[in-house]
Amino acid sequence: MAVCARLCGVGPSRGCRRRQQRRGPAEAAAADSEPDTDPEEERIEAGAAALSGAGGGRSAGPSSPPRCSLLELPPELLVEIFASLPGTDLPSLAQVCTKFRRILHTDTIWRRRCREEYGVCENLRKLEITGVSCRDVYAKLLHRYRHILGLWQPDIGPYGGLLNVVVDGLFIIGWMYLPPHDPHVDDPMRFKPLFRIHLMERKSATVECMYGHRGPHNGHVQIVKKDEFSTKCNQTDHHRMSGGRQEEFRTWLREEWGRTLEDIFHEHMQELILMKFIYTSQYDNCLTYRRIYLPPSHPDDLIRPGLFKGTYGSHGLEIVMLSFHGKRARGTKITGDPNIPAGQQTVEIDLRHRIQLPDGESLRDFNELSRVVLEVREQVRQEQEQEGGPEDVEGLGQQSPQPCEEPPAEPAQAPGDRGAAAAAEPPAQSGQGQPFVLPVGVSSRNEDYPRTCRMCFYGTGLIAGHGFTSPERTPGVFVLFDEDRFGFIWLELKSFSLYSRVQAAFRNADAPSPQAFEEMLKNIQSLTS
């Protein structure tokens, strides 16, 4: 009885097996089957029905071997069994009988569920000081807000963004990921917290806005619908600075661009920067987020798909998602600009048309590169006419994306263009490195690009006027440097974009199916079309 009372608090209560033995059979059965629910446990979705075999009946046949029910197992063994079950199944288990319910108040069970399901590695025993149990952490924090974990794109007009919501210790934190300062595309990503959720008392979780420079303050998170949630700051005065908008702008400029306005001599770039500050700051961290998934990978992919940082002229660095769709690869903007907004396909690569770079001095000749690329474009056009459609969708499993070309920023510093002599060869998975240098006249924000490449393919890039007016897909060259870097030469703009992989591990970001990923791409594109 001492062991029972210590581990599960049952003691001589009606749910204890020893007490049942002193009762009549009918009384014991009625006591064990009486439901004893708890409002907090009803918050957790039930994943399984009550376990079968919870009764204590035995077979009547004299030759049948005796059977032992779960109720007859020692409490310490039941703790181990329950701790191995998914947390969503435990509320249903708690309704089987009082004994199970009281055993499920054992913190060991919920400490293990927090660790295995959400990666909480903190010493959860520290919570006892504040009177918060591991069961409270699981039910009121981790499970309640589980639907917002993962990658999200905020609805900030054409600019978009990348938010990663993670369990960080005993907090759930929304980190906004920012590209490195232009033009250092190989530098690591930067990130800053936008909100956090934690449990400091047993009543409910606390949501705090982290925007601004005056510390955490009151905020709110609302799950709007599946794969969509919103945040709201209830104390926007914490976002203001004593020096007014001018001080706020200068602080934002240092954080966003790593420089002062006096350091930026290009007038057009100054206009773009000021426009972005005015547009984005009006939201005051009151934003709606839509879920995004990382692209699925396949054994025959040219390189591993994922997120990349790319140079976009006067617009600075932007985040692009590279994905593979049969005979094509696509680069979709996660962050964007007033010319080509977030969600649009910045580049599309035709993996059936490989381009062989010329040798010697011809490599530096832009006219020679243009001639080769335009010949391939004509070949692609003829193939599409023969196939009876405006675009070849073989291997995509869906209709090709809307006719929009992926843009560099403004004409002055848009993504570039690249040269190659063409042959319509099937794509190879590997190739020996070949010399690479940008043709004369092609501009690049980052001159520190690789001087050898693996292979090149024909592709198209999306360009448009301010406000995504007159979008047009123009020919270009996709240049694969290595597993983590590629480039694109924008032929019409005479500009070159260099892309470098985002080296970060994201949890809860995999698409449940290839169809779900394709649907996500269409959804984020339709928002800005």
Side-chain angles (χ1 to χ4, degrees), residues 315-500:
H315 298 295
L317 300 188
E318 298 183 9
I319 303 173
V320 170
M321 177 185 290
L322 179 68
S323 56
F324 291 90
H325 310 260
K327 301 296 185 179
R328 295 183 187 272
R330 299 175 187 163
T332 303
K333 279 196 170 186
I334 303 302
T335 62
D337 53 66
N339 288 69
I340 306 298
Q344 295 298 320
Q345 289 184 18
T346 180
V347 293
E348 181 165 304
I349 303 99
D350 189 339
L351 299 176
R352 299 170 307 168
H353 293 88
R354 186 172 174 184
I355 291 178
Q356 183 64 43
L357 292 176
D359 296 326
E361 288 300 317
S362 298
L363 186 61
R364 300 280 293 173
D365 190 339
F366 178 77
N367 292 330
E368 175 64 16
L369 170 65
S370 299
R371 182 190 64 79
V372 167
V373 175
L374 294 179
E375 286 179 358
V376 177
R377 182 177 69 168
E378 178 62 22
Q379 178 183 349
V380 171
R381 187 189 65 80
Q382 293 176 2
E383 291 174 356
Q384 290 171 351
E385 288 180 351
Q386 293 174 0
E387 293 166 2
E391 246 186 319
D392 175 25
V393 294
E394 178 185 354
L396 296 184
Q398 66 172 36
Q399 189 174 3
S400 232
Q402 305 174 4
C404 50
E405 334 268 348
E406 181 42 40
E410 298 268 336
Q413 295 169 328
D417 145 57
R418 189 174 155 114
E425 311 174 1
Q429 278 301 96
S430 61
Q432 295 181 349
Q434 52 187 314
F436 174 81
V437 63
L438 287 175
V440 175
V442 174
S443 63
S444 174
R445 294 284 292 173
N446 192 328
E447 294 297 332
D448 189 24
Y449 59 85
R451 293 310 195 261
T452 59
C453 67
R454 290 184 184 176
M455 58 190 76
C456 300
F457 295 91
Y458 172 78
T460 57
L462 183 63
I463 62 174
H466 188 86
F468 197 39
T469 56
S470 304
E472 177 188 3
R473 191 177 296 278
T474 61
V477 181
F478 172 84
V479 186
L480 178 63
F481 294 114
D482 52 44
E483 177 68 21
D484 297 322
R485 288 178 297 179
F486 65 88
F488 192 83
I489 300 178
W490 308 78
L491 204 62
E492 182 172 323
L493 300 169
K494 287 191 174 182
S495 179
F496 174 73
S497 288
L498 178 64
Y499 300 83
S500 179

Side-chain angles (χ1 to χ4, degrees), residues 176-219:
M176 181 67 83
Y177 275 66
L178 306 170
H181 294 137
D182 181 56
H184 306 293
V185 69
D186 286 325
D187 286 357
M189 294 284 285
R190 300 173 295 128
F191 43 88
K192 63 179 181 181
L194 292 190
F195 65 86
R196 70 180 186 183
I197 311 171
H198 58 120
L199 194 68
M200 295 303 293
E201 54 184 21
R202 297 195 62 180
K203 294 180 181 179
S204 61
T206 299
V207 179
E208 294 177 326
C209 174
M210 304 291 288
Y211 189 79
H213 299 81
R214 296 171 60 182
H217 46 283
N218 186 258

Side-chain angles (χ1 to χ4, degrees), residues 299-320:
D300 56 346
D301 288 343
L302 193 64
I303 59 173
R304 180 167 53 92
L307 298 175
F308 290 79
K309 306 153 285 182
T311 55
Y312 281 85
S314 301
H315 298 295
L317 300 188
E318 298 183 9
I319 303 173
V320 170

